DNA sequence: CGGGGATGGT
DNA sequence: ACCATCC
């Protein structure tokens, strides 16, 4: 089944795709060695708390393995040089650089943790096929097993070409960044990942489709299959399914008794080496967080200190990211004799984006803003802990979990204009046309950024089922729409882009000066207090005439490509900057992310 | 037994 | 919103 091609040279064939999985050898250790070359020659361990999380190959000669206790590792290798790896910043930077190199191939790249990436080079291979004589293609690196039959779909040739691309990629990563890597080449993600470590370190391996099922049965246990973790494995084992072969032979009906139907099918497919999940282009993270674990903390003031420290570090990360967070989560782990680790509890709440200001493209938080954040944090903490009783914590964490939607990439003209507050309003109106209440742009209401000193508002945004904040912008959209013929009637004029503003936008961009020079919308809260009627009307209207929000003169004055971009956003807001990705990926987000690649400092 | 982060379920 | 699970 798996090895048979259902169609000749058909892009829909089971073997049509060309997937590479790239894994950086002992990632943390390599980062440290690149940073400090003198570490290259010594046995090196990366330490987090009391654990050696990874080691270089020199240390592995002594038997120092991943996730080994420090004491144990030192026993095996007394000369082991230990470097603290609790601050992941350098690793994250290196990871982003590698991701950036992969982007050079103009193919979908999916990041899997810090040191692994998938890249789908199917299109690239198709192009190469046209320009080469496919009869005498040689592969690069190892093959798991030479094919016995000549697959009529042509996948063997494609995978050999894929291996050459993999070799090119690994070469560039090494030449540009100094990291050695392993690669797995296969027609799906599952096999690419699993075959990757076949030749370690610094080498690569192809597996052909016909060997998928038999290769899977050589795996140590079901736990080796990605997505089968401890819990799933437990469930399987309790059903006497222990080896991959057991799973291959298990009946779907039995599996469905213990798993959802989807999961049952998935498990069975995986065991046979089948996996049709697409390589999904990775974008900006959906959350940015930090944690600190420790022996014990039982005093409130200490907790506050921990959070203060975490917040300071976190704000640096958020500033690098550049987006404005709108939601904050506090996590903690209570001392629990039963469980060794895990069992986190968390509370989250909306935060007012007015805490942040985007000045000259840089995200800043005032002293007062930080105090506000601390108030929110401690309020969430109070939700988690009954202060009338003693408490014992072993971990606290802090994460920003939602960000203002931007809808565009950095290079786009829309993003360029987006820095102007009035333009933001225009674009976000569109944004609201089909996203109901999920993503708000609060910044459009906040009064002139840096002068926000008003602490009288509740720091914590209420998070009711129907968020109150939602109403004003929806209302605003309606008003603008209805009043577009006579904008002076209401204060919606600021929502529109006039030619003078456009000039100013350009000036501001050139000088990168304070945006308070820009004409801006006044909050006009009075107009927005009662909204229900207008809201309802608004929801029924269709969005096709949204461009009317933009001054026609201005719109016409824009270059053609800008007009096109704006139009396409109105027509189809979420797609304008969508990286190509399979139609199956339902939750794709905007993804152009230059900042993501910029190394720190 | 670490420090992240993503995703799916309820 | 929060948890569980996975890497």
């Amino acid at each position: 089944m798996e090895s048979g091609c259902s169609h000749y040279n058909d892009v829909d064939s089971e073997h049509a795709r060309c997937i590479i999985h790239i894994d950086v050898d002992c990632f943390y250790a390599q980062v440290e060695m690149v940073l400090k070359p003198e570490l290259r020659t010594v046995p090196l361990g990366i330490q987090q708390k009391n654990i050696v999380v990874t080691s270089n190959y020199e240390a592995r000669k002594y038997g120092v393995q991943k996730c080994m206790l420090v004491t144990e590792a030192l026993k095996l290798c007394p000369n082991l040089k230990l470097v603290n790896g609790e601050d992941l910043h350098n690793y994250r930077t290196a990871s982003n650089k590698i991701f950036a190199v992969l982007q050079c191939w103009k193919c979908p790249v999916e990041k899997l943790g810090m040191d692994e990436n998938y890249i789908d080079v199917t299109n690239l291979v198709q192009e190469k096929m046209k320009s080469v004589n496919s009869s005498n293609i040689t592969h690069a690196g190892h093959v798991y097993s030479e094919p016995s039959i000549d697959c009529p779909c042509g996948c063997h040739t494609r995978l050999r070409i894929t291996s050459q691309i993999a070799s090119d990629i690994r070469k560039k990563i090494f030449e540009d960044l100094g990291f050695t890597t392993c690669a797995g080449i296969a027609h799906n993600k599952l096999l690419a990942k699993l075959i990757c470590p076949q030749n370690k370190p610094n080498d690569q391996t192809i597996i052909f489709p016909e060997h998928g099922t038999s290769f899977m049965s050589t795996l140590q246990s079901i736990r080796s299959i990605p997505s089968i973790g401890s819990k799933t494995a437990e469930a399987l084992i309790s059903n006497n399914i222990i080896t991959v072969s057991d799973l291959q032979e298990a009946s779907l009906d039995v599996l469905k008794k213990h798993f959802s139907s989807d999961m049952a099918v998935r498990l069975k497919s995986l065991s046979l080496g089948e996996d049709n999940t697409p390589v999904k282009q990775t974008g900006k993270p959906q959350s940015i967080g930090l944690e600190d674990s420790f022996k014990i903390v039982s005093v409130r003031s200490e907790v506050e200190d921990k959070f203060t420290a975490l917040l300071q570090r976190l704000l640096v990360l958020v500033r690098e990211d550049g987006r404005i967070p709108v939601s904050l989560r506090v996590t903690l782990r209570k001392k629990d004799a039963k469980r060794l680790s895990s069992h986190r509890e968390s509370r989250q709440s909306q935060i007012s984006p007015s805490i942040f200001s985007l000045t000259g493209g840089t995200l800043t938080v005032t002293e007062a803003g930080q105090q506000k954040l601390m108030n929110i944090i401690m309020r969430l903490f109070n939700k988690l802990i009954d202060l009338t009783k003693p408490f014992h914590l072993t971990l606290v964490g802090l994460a920003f979990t939602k960000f203002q939607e931007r809808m565009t990439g950095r290079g786009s003209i829309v993003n360029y204009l987006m820095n102007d507050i009035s333009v933001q309003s225009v674009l976000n109106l569109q944004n609201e046309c089909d996203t109901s209440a999920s993503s708000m742009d609060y910044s459009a209401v906040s009064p002139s950024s840096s002068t926000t000193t008003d602490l009288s508002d509740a720091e914590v945004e209420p998070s009711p089922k129907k968020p109150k904040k939602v109403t004003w912008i929806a209302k605003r959209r309606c008003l603008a729409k209805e009043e577009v013929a006579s904008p002076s009637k209401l204060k919606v004029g600021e929502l529109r882009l006039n030619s003078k503003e456009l000039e100013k936008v350009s000036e501001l961009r050139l000088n990168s000066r304070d945006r308070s020079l820009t004409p801006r919308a006044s909050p006009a809260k009075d107009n927005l207090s009662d909204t229900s009627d207008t809201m309802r009307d608004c929801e029924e209207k269709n969005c096709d005439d949204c461009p009317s929000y933009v001054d026609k003169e201005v719109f016409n004055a824009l270059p053609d490509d800008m007009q096109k971009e704006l139009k396409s956003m109105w027509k189809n807001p979420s797609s304008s900057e969508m990286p190509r990705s399979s139609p199956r990926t339902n939750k794709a987000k905007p993804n152009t992310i230059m900042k993501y690649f910029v190394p720190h400092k």
Side-chain angles (χ1 to χ4, degrees):
Chain A
M1 288 278 276
E2 162 66 5
S3 58
C5 292
S6 40
H7 312 288
Y8 293 163
N9 285 324
D10 183 342
V11 286
D12 290 330
S13 151
E14 288 173 43
H15 309 160
R17 293 184 299 154
C18 302
I19 312 291
I20 305 170
H21 179 264
I22 295 177
D23 188 323
V24 184
D25 299 321
C26 53
F27 179 59
Y28 289 1
Q30 268 209 84
V31 171
E32 298 297 343
M33 292 191 297
V34 166
L35 256 35
K36 294 182 182 173
E38 67 269 20
L39 295 175
R40 281 193 177 284
T41 54
V42 303
L44 173 67
I46 307 303
Q47 180 176 187
Q48 287 175 344
K49 294 299 185 297
N50 208 25
I51 291 175
V52 177
V53 289
T54 193
S55 57
N56 67 0
Y57 276 82
E58 193 59 34
R60 290 185 195 190
K61 289 179 188 169
Y62 295 84
V64 178
Q65 303 290 341
K66 290 177 127 194
C67 292
M68 192 174 258
L69 290 175
V70 169
T71 52
E72 210 175 320
L74 284 172
K75 221 175 283 176
L76 290 167
C77 176
N79 289 332
L80 186 67
K81 167 78 177 169
L82 289 169
V83 168
N84 186 293
E86 287 166 21
D87 184 344
L88 303 186
H89 189 268
N90 290 337
Y91 309 139
R92 196 177 298 117
T93 303
S95 177
N96 291 341
K97 286 182 183 175
I98 290 165
F99 185 72
V101 168
L102 296 178
Q103 297 289 112
C104 299
W105 273 262
K106 307 297 177 198
C107 291
V109 179
E110 179 178 342
K111 211 148 116 70
L112 211 71
M114 293 248 202
D115 66 333
E116 294 178 32
N117 289 278
Y118 291 106
I119 178 167
D120 181 337
V121 296
T122 307
N123 290 339
L124 213 56
V125 170
Q126 291 292 346
E127 275 177 35
K128 282 207 175 185
M129 296 270 290
K130 294 176 197 162
S131 57
V132 296
N133 179 356
S134 59
S135 65
N136 54 353
I137 296 287
T138 59
H139 65 263
H142 299 260
V143 289
Y144 168 69
S145 181
E146 285 295 343
S148 56
I149 52 159
D150 186 18
C151 184
C153 85
C155 61
H156 297 169
T157 299
R158 288 196 298 275
L159 290 176
R160 287 191 183 101
I161 293 175
T162 305
S163 76
Q164 294 171 359
I165 297 172
S167 175
D168 294 344
I169 292 173
R170 291 176 50 241
K171 187 167 172 229
K172 182 159 173 66
I173 291 174
F174 184 72
E175 287 174 355
D176 288 9
L177 305 174
F179 295 113
T180 63
T181 55
C182 285
I185 294 97
H187 71 292
N188 65 34
K189 291 206 291 184
L190 172 72
L191 292 172
K193 179 177 168 71
L194 289 175
I195 207 65
C196 187
Q198 197 77 12
N199 292 281
K200 287 210 296 186
N202 192 23
D203 214 330
Q204 62 181 65
T205 312
I206 312 176
I207 182 167
F208 294 105
E210 63 177 283
H211 299 121
T213 299
S214 56
F215 165 67
M216 291 302 293
S217 64
T218 69
L219 296 177
Q220 290 293 325
S221 86
I222 46 175
R223 273 305 303 273
S224 310
I225 297 176
S227 86
I228 299 185
S230 59
K231 297 297 179 181
T232 309
E234 232 172 74
L236 286 169
I237 288 169
S238 72
N239 279 281
N240 224 5
I241 297 171
I242 295 148
T243 67
V244 173
S245 296
D246 292 341
L247 189 52
Q248 288 175 346
E249 291 155 17
S251 91
L252 256 187
D253 288 337
V254 169
L255 291 175
K256 281 179 183 172
K257 284 176 187 165
H258 299 268
F259 301 95
S260 71
S261 176
D262 282 359
M263 183 66 169
V265 171
R266 180 101 227 279
L267 287 172
K268 178 103 182 173
S269 305
L270 289 172
S271 75
L272 297 168
E274 298 166 2
D275 173 19
N276 62 11
T277 60
V279 175
K280 286 197 300 180
Q281 174 68 42
T282 295
K284 283 221 181 191
Q286 326 248 323
S287 70
I288 301 177
L290 292 172
E291 293 174 351
D292 188 12
S293 67
F294 30 76
K295 274 287 178 218
I296 207 82
V297 167
S298 309
V299 183
R300 203 193 129 103
S301 67
E302 278 184 56
V303 172
E304 201 161 341
D305 292 345
K306 295 283 187 192
F307 278 130
T308 304
L310 280 180
L311 180 59
Q312 295 312 309
R313 284 208 287 146
L314 192 53
L315 288 174
V316 174
L317 298 181
V318 169
R319 184 156 70 204
E320 285 174 13
D321 181 275
R323 289 171 297 172
I324 295 180
V326 295
S327 176
L328 177 65
R329 180 172 66 215
V330 165
T331 303
L332 54 77
R333 186 178 65 199
K334 293 172 182 168
K335 177 88 178 168
D336 185 346
K338 297 169 193 170
R339 306 179 192 236
L340 294 167
S341 68
S342 80
H343 201 263
R344 291 160 156 83
E345 294 174 67
S346 68
R347 292 293 183 273
Q348 65 189 61
S349 92
Q350 309 268 86
I351 57 177
S352 162
S354 66
I355 290 172
F356 299 87
S357 54
L358 205 44
T359 316
T362 308
L363 198 64
T364 56
V365 187
T366 60
E367 227 16 80
Q370 296 187 29
Q371 192 51 53
K372 273 193 183 187
L373 288 171
M374 279 309 296
N375 288 347
I376 297 170
I377 290 163
M378 294 315 289
R379 187 173 309 194
L380 290 169
F381 174 73
N382 292 345
K383 275 204 208 179
L384 286 156
I385 295 289
D386 180 358
L387 289 165
T388 66
K389 294 174 187 164
F391 60 87
H392 306 288
L393 305 181
T394 63
L395 173 145
V396 295
L398 218 52
F400 290 111
T401 51
K402 284 182 194 169
F403 302 91
Q404 267 177 202
E405 297 286 346
R406 204 126 286 243
M407 300 314 285
T408 69
R410 298 255 157 189
S412 83
I413 186 63
V414 176
N415 188 63
Y416 169 96
L417 291 171
M418 200 77 92
N419 261 12
D420 182 83
I421 204 95
S422 58
V423 180
Q424 273 189 27
S425 305
V426 173
L427 296 174
N428 276 292
L429 293 175
Q430 160 53 29
N431 206 345
E432 286 312 296
C433 285
D434 69 342
T435 57
S436 66
S438 58
S439 63
M440 305 310 310
D441 183 327
Y442 294 86
S443 74
V445 255
S446 73
S448 182
S449 52
S450 51
T451 59
T452 314
T453 49
D454 172 20
L455 295 179
S456 59
D457 310 346
E459 302 84 350
V460 181
E461 293 298 333
S463 42
K465 300 269 196 266
K466 301 272 185 190
K468 287 179 180 121
K469 282 284 183 184
V470 169
T471 56
W472 76 260
I473 198 162
K475 167 97 174 194
R476 199 166 184 132
R477 172 162 59 105
C478 296
L479 293 175
K481 179 174 275 200
E482 285 156 6
E483 296 300 326
V484 73
S486 53
S488 58
K489 222 174 186 178
L490 294 167
K491 296 194 177 179
V492 292
E494 297 93 336
L495 289 176
R496 309 171 70 225
L497 192 58
N498 63 42
S499 42
K500 276 185 189 153
E501 281 179 316
L502 187 63
E503 281 172 29
K504 252 187 186 144
V505 170
S506 304
E507 284 173 25
L508 286 174
R509 293 293 302 182
L510 291 176
N511 304 337
S512 87
R513 276 300 142 203
D514 189 334
R515 73 133 60 94
S516 63
L517 296 172
T518 320
R520 116 184 12 269
S522 64
K525 279 182 183 161
D526 298 350
N527 292 341
L528 308 168
S529 48
D530 171 24
T531 61
S532 47
D533 288 350
T534 332
M535 280 267 291
R536 225 177 358 261
D537 292 345
C538 205
E539 277 154 10
E540 290 164 12
K541 289 179 184 165
N542 116 21
C543 294
D544 280 353
D545 51 355
C546 280
S548 62
Y549 294 135
V550 174
D551 194 307
K552 269 214 174 79
E553 278 179 38
V554 174
F555 186 75
N556 291 332
L558 295 172
D560 283 347
D561 50 350
M562 274 174 64
Q563 289 188 14
K564 209 174 278 180
E565 186 172 354
L566 288 168
K567 270 186 192 163
S568 82
M569 280 194 52
W570 275 304
K571 259 324 194 212
N572 190 5
S574 54
S575 75
S576 64
E577 278 292 324
M578 227 40 118
R580 60 254 186 83
S581 61
S582 149
R584 304 176 71 255
T585 68
N586 44 352
K587 275 213 280 195
K589 298 255 179 191
N591 264 319
T592 314
I593 42 170
M594 301 309 288
K595 200 142 199 171
Y596 205 56
F597 310 140
V598 178
H600 181 56
K601 275 184 286 190

